[in-house]
Coordinates of all heavy atoms in Angstrom, one line a residue:
A235 N 68.8 49.4 34.3 CA 68.0 49.5 33.0 C 66.8 48.5 33.2 O 66.9 47.3 33.3 CB 68.8 48.9 31.8
T236 N 65.6 49.1 33.0 CA 64.3 48.3 32.9 C 63.4 48.9 31.7 O 63.7 49.8 31.1 CB 63.4 48.8 34.2 OG1 63.1 50.2 34.2 CG2 64.3 48.5 35.6
F237 N 62.6 47.9 31.4 CA 61.8 48.2 30.2 C 61.0 49.4 30.3 O 60.7 50.2 29.3 CB 61.0 46.9 29.7 CG 61.9 45.8 29.3 CD1 61.8 44.5 29.8 CD2 62.9 46.0 28.4 CE1 62.6 43.4 29.4 CE2 63.8 45.0 28.0 CZ 63.6 43.7 28.5
P238 N 60.3 49.8 31.5 CA 59.5 50.9 31.5 C 60.2 52.1 31.2 O 59.9 53.1 30.5 CB 58.9 50.8 32.8 CG 58.8 49.4 33.2 CD 60.0 48.7 32.7
V239 N 61.4 52.3 31.9 CA 62.3 53.4 31.7 C 62.7 53.5 30.2 O 62.8 54.6 29.7 CB 63.5 53.2 32.7 CG1 64.6 54.1 32.2 CG2 63.2 53.7 34.1
G240 N 63.1 52.3 29.7 CA 63.5 52.3 28.2 C 62.4 52.7 27.3 O 62.7 53.5 26.4
V241 N 61.3 52.4 27.6 CA 60.1 52.9 26.8 C 60.0 54.4 26.8 O 59.9 55.2 25.8 CB 58.8 52.3 27.2 CG1 57.6 52.9 26.5 CG2 58.8 50.8 26.8
V242 N 60.0 55.0 28.1 CA 59.9 56.4 28.2 C 61.0 57.1 27.6 O 60.8 58.1 27.0 CB 59.8 56.7 29.7 CG1 59.9 58.3 30.0 CG2 58.5 56.2 30.4
M243 N 62.3 56.7 27.7 CA 63.4 57.3 27.2 C 63.4 57.2 25.7 O 63.6 58.3 25.0 CB 64.8 56.7 27.6 CG 64.9 56.9 29.1 SD 66.4 56.2 29.9 CE 67.8 57.0 29.0
M244 N 62.9 56.3 25.1 CA 62.9 56.0 23.5 C 61.6 56.9 23.0 O 61.8 57.5 21.9 CB 62.7 54.5 23.2 CG 64.0 53.9 23.3 SD 63.9 52.2 22.6 CE 63.7 51.3 24.1
R245 N 60.7 57.1 23.9 CA 59.6 58.0 23.3 C 60.0 59.5 23.3 O 59.7 60.2 22.5 CB 58.4 57.9 24.4 CG 57.7 56.5 24.2 CD 56.9 56.3 22.9 NE 56.5 54.9 22.8 CZ 55.3 54.5 23.2 NH1 54.4 55.3 23.7 NH2 54.9 53.2 23.0
A246 N 60.9 59.8 24.3 CA 61.4 61.1 24.4 C 62.5 61.3 23.2 O 62.4 62.4 22.5 CB 62.3 61.3 25.6
I247 N 63.3 60.3 22.9 CA 64.1 60.3 21.7 C 63.3 60.6 20.4 O 63.6 61.4 19.5 CB 65.0 59.1 21.6 CG1 66.0 59.0 22.7 CG2 65.7 58.9 20.2 CD1 66.8 57.8 22.8
K248 N 62.2 59.8 20.3 CA 61.4 60.0 19.1 C 60.8 61.4 19.0 O 60.6 61.9 17.9 CB 60.2 58.9 19.2 CG 59.4 58.8 18.0 CD 58.3 57.9 18.1 CE 58.7 56.5 18.4 NZ 57.5 55.6 18.6
E249 N 60.2 61.9 20.0 CA 59.7 63.3 20.2 C 60.7 64.2 19.8 O 60.6 65.2 18.9 CB 59.1 63.6 21.5 CG 58.7 65.0 21.8 CD 57.5 65.5 21.0 OE1 56.7 64.5 20.6 OE2 57.3 66.6 20.7
F250 N 62.0 64.1 20.4 CA 63.1 65.0 20.0 C 63.4 65.0 18.6 O 63.6 66.0 18.0 CB 64.4 64.7 20.8 CG 65.5 65.6 20.8 CD1 65.3 66.8 21.5 CD2 66.5 65.4 20.0 CE1 66.4 67.7 21.4 CE2 67.6 66.3 19.9 CZ 67.5 67.5 20.7
Y251 N 63.4 63.8 17.9 CA 63.7 63.6 16.5 C 62.5 64.3 15.7 O 63.0 65.0 14.7 CB 63.8 62.1 16.1 CG 64.0 62.0 14.7 CD1 65.2 62.3 14.0 CD2 63.0 61.1 14.0 CE1 65.4 62.1 12.7 CE2 63.2 60.9 12.6 CZ 64.4 61.4 11.9 OH 64.5 61.1 10.6
W252 N 61.3 64.1 16.0 CA 60.3 64.7 15.3 C 60.3 66.3 15.4 O 60.1 66.9 14.4 CB 58.9 64.3 15.9 CG 58.4 62.9 15.5 CD1 59.0 62.2 14.6 CD2 57.5 62.1 16.3 NE1 58.4 60.8 14.5 CE2 57.4 61.0 15.5 CE3 56.5 62.4 17.2 CZ2 56.6 60.0 15.9 CZ3 55.8 61.4 17.7 CH2 55.8 60.2 17.0

Side-chain angles (χ1 to χ4, degrees):
T236 66
F237 293 131
V239 160
V241 169
V242 170
M243 291 176 69
M244 283 186 259
R245 295 288 171 92
I247 289 172
K248 189 186 299 183
E249 171 70 18
F250 188 78
Y251 176 62
W252 285 343

